Amino acid sequence: MNVSSPWRRRTLLVGWLLALALICVRAAQVQVVQAADWKRIAEAQHRTDAEVPAFRGAVLDRDGMPLAVSRERYRMSFSTRELSDVEGTRRMLTETLGIPQRQANTLTAASRAWSVVPGLHPPGIQERARGLRGIRLQRELQRYHPHGGLARGVLGRVLEEQGEGGIEQAFDGILRGTPGREVVARDHLGVPIPGERLTVSPPMSGNDVVLTLDMDLQEIAHEALEEAIESTGAHGGDVLVTDPRTGEILALVSVRDGEAASLSAIHTPFEPGSTLKPFTVAGLLADDLVSLYDSVDVGDGTWTVEGRTLHDVHSEGVMTVGEALRVSSNVGIAKSAQALTPGRQYENLRDFGFGVQTGIELPGEAAGLLRRPEQWTSQSAASLAIGYEISVTPLQMAMAYGALANGGRLMKPHLVREVRSPDGRVVERTEPRAIRRVVSERVAHAVSRELVGAVEDGTGGSARLATFQVAGKSGTARAYTADGYEEGAYYSSFVGFFPADDPQLVVVVKLDRPSGAYYGGAVAAPVTRATMEAALAARATPLDRAALIRSAARNEGRRPAITSTAQFADQPLDPPLPPFSVQDGDVRGIPGLGDGVTLPDVRGLPARIAVRRLHALGLRVERPAGHDIVGSVPPPGARVLPGDTIRLRLGQRSND
């Protein structure tokens, strides 16, 4: 007889009772004491708190045309094993998304565990996929540029919801907006349940930023610059168009190696050469050290100063200071500048804004170089007088010439006109601001008259217009690198403003290392003329037409013969723009302002000529990549209204 059997049974019974007691205690702990905590954990598994991205504010041009906007797009993916309707999914892929049938079959093949549909798709895909189980849609906000790369350098880009470069970076906090929160219900597999979303706090869209850019002028400047780079073989170039009265930037284009991404117009200084001479003369006149009629002897066109010999191309003998400026005499300007003390010469250039940042609303602006007098060499005074030993940006040059054009006031440049809330209210507006008065109106007008002579009779003849007087100055300077001056490489530039008697536009053109002809008057001045001609032809530009007519009337009878060297600016408009007039403050005689115009057939024309003809009709032009024009949208013969956008269809350049 086994005496231990009762004890074994008792021990097992006690063990089972203890285990049962522990289970009951744990159950009570879970069901009663920890009930609230476990309930929160269970709900968290089936409900997820998610961030709802906010729409980024739009960037608009001065007329409200969108330049950068956010649009809602969706990525689509699915598990083929969970698809409730394979055939319906295939039809959606082919009919709604335009995916080829073979690719749709591959994506929905039973052998694939998971498929991702390529591309981003419009919001309408939600409705189409609503009745198809197993499909996942992921919402994204994509930054879209309706004008492609036309103003990409100014706008910048958005990477991972962060602005990078341009306006996107400078105004990131204003454009960004405030994300919202929502609760999403999920099934036992963690998949969101359609329709089970609760918005806790809605997203707040960012503010819109309205620029001073005029997209017609931006397109005109971009077209003229690209044509100049192609025809001269330059490495790149810059074109700026500003309003001298307000400091507004109307067009800002930089192209390097065929790309229009970086803004060398504000980032990359260069030695300006002769375009700096007007400011030397302005400083002399402001201090009453010389008059424009004082004589200066340039001898045979050479002058050696402190071991350096200056050369003139065409001037010799005795001439006035005004004539020295008109014909761009290095010797004449440098000799005249001897009347300036180093301190006053430095202050004069600094007052015109050289050597300091302008404060434009873009990141990465360069200040250029203007050394203090104590750092000068014995040659510096003569070099600075003619635009050497100083580096400037095209933006600084535009604002300095704007001071001559507007009567002597240096304006602060601005690119942002106003900030608007999502409902359209103006939150902030930028008003024109004068930094300082640099010279008197008398001095500014006197120098401007000589700059008109530089265009009419001097080195800037290729910038002349038949109806309006243009004031301007060309410049040619050797390209400088870290290793010194580059042999045979030059920066060619021209700065002009018109109409000279009541300036509305300042145009700065700089070409980087053109091949062949490299003088600014030969290669950069024609770009200025082409830009001004196209601006006059385009009816949507911010020009004051009534003021232009008054200016033209003052110059009536002045019809000089103009021989243009611009290969892209000397084609007549077909049909030519008819005369126009002002009656009771209204512009008359321009066809198409009230009714539509017939879209001409531009197929087969060079792109530059086609764009100018469409601009002359008051139309905006969108030109995708390519070369030869093969059609347009709308098609030729369609009736369109001034201000409409015409899309040119381009093909590849033909062999001939």
Side-chain angles (χ1 to χ4, degrees):
M1 181 177 179
N2 188 357
V3 296
S4 63
S5 295
W7 290 104
R8 184 184 298 114
R9 287 194 299 271
R10 291 189 187 103
T11 301
L12 290 172
L13 179 60
V14 171
W16 281 109
L17 290 175
L18 289 174
L20 181 61
L22 288 173
I23 292 173
C24 291
V25 171
R26 179 58 178 160
Q29 183 185 28
V30 171
Q31 295 290 335
V32 179
V33 179
Q34 299 177 345
D37 295 334
W38 287 109
K39 182 178 180 181
R40 282 195 299 270
I41 293 174
E43 289 178 348
Q45 291 177 340
H46 292 279
R47 295 186 183 275
T48 303
D49 185 18
E51 182 178 274
V52 183
F55 273 92
R56 192 174 179 88
V59 182
L60 313 171
D61 86 337
R62 65 187 299 115
D63 297 320
M65 181 182 298
L67 307 181
V69 295
S70 290
R71 57 182 185 180
E72 192 177 44
R73 289 295 181 266
Y74 288 84
R75 294 190 184 276
M76 177 184 291
S77 59
F78 49 80
S79 171
T80 54
R81 297 170 186 171
E82 297 179 23
L83 289 177
S84 60
D85 185 356
V86 176
E87 287 302 322
T89 301
R90 288 175 179 170
R91 285 196 300 272
M92 179 194 64
L93 293 177
T94 56
E95 296 174 5
T96 304
L97 303 184
I99 292 176
Q101 185 66 53
R102 179 178 297 179
Q103 186 179 5
N105 294 341
T106 301
L107 290 171
T108 56
S111 60
R112 297 172 67 101
W114 189 264
S115 293
V116 177
V117 180
L120 293 171
H121 311 291
I125 195 65
Q126 294 183 97
E127 187 66 28
R128 188 68 176 84
R130 191 178 299 279
L132 301 173
R133 187 169 61 84
I135 293 179
R136 316 285 198 273
L137 294 176
Q138 181 182 353
R139 178 176 179 264
E140 292 188 12
L141 295 180
Q142 181 190 46
R143 205 61 168 162
Y144 172 62
H145 300 95
H147 293 271
L150 190 57
R152 186 67 54 83
V154 176
L155 299 174
R157 57 180 179 170
V158 179
L159 292 177
E160 298 181 355
E161 301 182 5
Q162 181 76 30
E164 182 177 292
I167 292 295
E168 297 283 12
Q169 177 179 330
F171 289 81
D172 186 64
I174 291 175
L175 292 165
R176 184 190 293 272
T178 305
R181 308 294 300 180
E182 68 178 5
V183 176
V184 182
R186 300 180 182 274
D187 61 18
H188 65 289
L189 298 176
V191 178
I193 300 174
E196 294 293 323
R197 292 177 181 269
L198 176 63
T199 299
V200 178
S201 60
M204 301 290 292
S205 298
N207 289 335
D208 297 336
V209 175
V210 182
L211 304 184
T212 60
L213 285 186
D214 179 272
M215 287 313 290
D216 285 316
L217 284 179
Q218 181 79 6
E219 184 178 358
I220 287 167
H222 190 272
E223 180 76 18
L225 179 59
E226 281 195 330
E227 292 292 341
I229 291 173
E230 181 179 353
S231 63
T232 64
H235 292 191
D238 308 289
V239 175
L240 276 85
V241 182
T242 68
D243 186 337
R245 301 163 296 185
T246 63
E248 290 183 332
I249 308 298
L250 303 177
L252 176 53
V253 183
S254 293
V255 174
R256 283 292 176 281
D257 299 321
E259 298 292 332
S262 70
L263 284 179
S264 56
I266 69 168
H267 298 157
T268 308
F270 69 107
E271 279 189 315
S274 295
T275 52
L276 199 78
K277 291 174 181 175
F279 308 110
T280 299
V281 174
L284 290 167
L285 297 180
D287 290 349
D288 289 326
L289 297 176
V290 301
S291 77
L292 291 174
Y293 307 103
D294 286 348
S295 298
V296 56
D297 187 359
V298 302
D300 62 353
T302 62
W303 182 47
T304 301
V305 51
E306 299 294 340
R308 179 187 178 187
T309 301
L310 303 181
H311 298 273
D312 284 345
V313 178
H314 301 297
S315 57
E316 60 181 25
V318 178
M319 62 179 60
T320 66
V321 173
E323 289 172 337
L325 178 59
R326 289 199 301 272
V327 301
S328 197
S329 168
N330 291 329
V331 175
I333 298 299
K335 279 189 172 183
S336 301
Q338 288 184 298
L340 288 167
T341 65
R344 186 65 192 100
Q345 188 175 7
Y346 169 83
E347 291 174 359
N348 175 60
L349 293 175
R350 180 57 69 93
D351 285 347
F352 274 104
F354 300 119
V356 294
Q357 294 178 333
T358 66
I360 193 172
E361 311 99 316
L362 288 173
E365 183 189 5
L369 176 65
L370 175 60
R371 293 177 294 124
R372 297 187 64 84
E374 53 266 27
Q375 298 173 314
W376 291 8
T377 68
S378 57
Q379 299 176 352
S380 295
S383 296
L384 283 166
I386 60 175
Y388 282 89
E389 292 194 30
I390 181 175
S391 67
V392 305
T393 64
L395 176 61
Q396 289 173 326
M397 191 61 74
M399 304 317 297
Y401 270 83
L404 296 178
N406 67 29
R409 294 174 299 118
L410 181 68
M411 303 298 295
K412 178 180 172 59
H414 64 278
L415 187 59
V416 174
R417 209 175 196 192
E418 59 189 28
V419 175
R420 297 176 184 169
S421 64
D423 60 4
R425 291 182 299 105
V426 176
V427 177
E428 181 181 346
R429 179 177 285 113
T430 304
E431 299 294 341
R433 183 167 75 87
I435 297 175
R436 69 180 70 90
R437 172 166 289 282
V438 186
V439 293
S440 66
E441 287 191 20
R442 175 186 63 81
V443 170
H445 292 158
V447 175
S448 296
R449 284 196 302 271
E450 297 305 322
L451 294 180
V452 172
V455 172
E456 295 294 323
D457 306 311
T459 58
S462 295
R464 282 187 293 170
L465 296 175
T467 305
F468 303 100
Q469 282 192 330
V470 177
K473 187 75 184 71
S474 60
T476 309
R478 294 179 62 185
Y480 188 83
T481 66
D483 299 323
Y485 287 106
E486 186 177 338
E487 187 65 30
Y490 297 89
Y491 290 119
S492 306
S493 59
F494 187 88
V495 190
F497 51 86
F498 93 104
D501 58 345
D502 185 16
Q504 295 191 36
L505 298 181
V506 174
V507 181
V508 179
V509 177
K510 187 196 79 172
L511 295 177
D512 181 0
R513 296 171 175 85
S515 59
Y518 58 83
Y519 285 110
V523 296
V527 186
T528 304
R529 180 188 173 196
T531 302
M532 292 186 293
E533 284 183 330
L536 287 168
R539 300 190 186 93
T541 56
L543 292 171
D544 183 341
R545 299 288 182 178
L548 286 176
I549 292 170
R550 291 192 294 270
S551 178
R554 287 192 292 269
N555 292 315
E556 190 173 359
R558 174 184 166 274
R559 296 292 187 272
I562 296 178
T563 302
S564 174
T565 59
Q567 298 179 7
F568 47 87
D570 58 1
Q571 300 294 329
L573 294 175
D574 184 19
L577 192 66
F580 52 89
S581 60
V582 175
Q583 297 180 14
D584 300 325
D586 192 19
V587 179
R588 306 291 177 86
I590 300 181
L593 285 180
D595 52 0
V597 295
T598 300
L599 186 64
D601 188 352
V602 295
R603 289 174 295 184
L605 291 177
R608 60 182 181 273
I609 303 303
V611 169
R612 291 184 65 228
R613 290 186 179 180
L614 295 175
H615 277 154
L617 294 174
L619 303 171
R620 303 180 189 271
V621 182
E622 180 181 348
R623 187 165 65 115
H627 296 92
D628 293 340
I629 299 177
V630 297
S632 63
V633 180
R639 296 291 289 178
V640 292
L641 293 175
D644 286 349
T645 298
I646 309 302
R647 180 179 176 85
L648 297 181
R649 295 173 48 227
L650 305 185
Q652 296 301 314
R653 187 182 295 278
S654 59
N655 292 332
D656 57 357

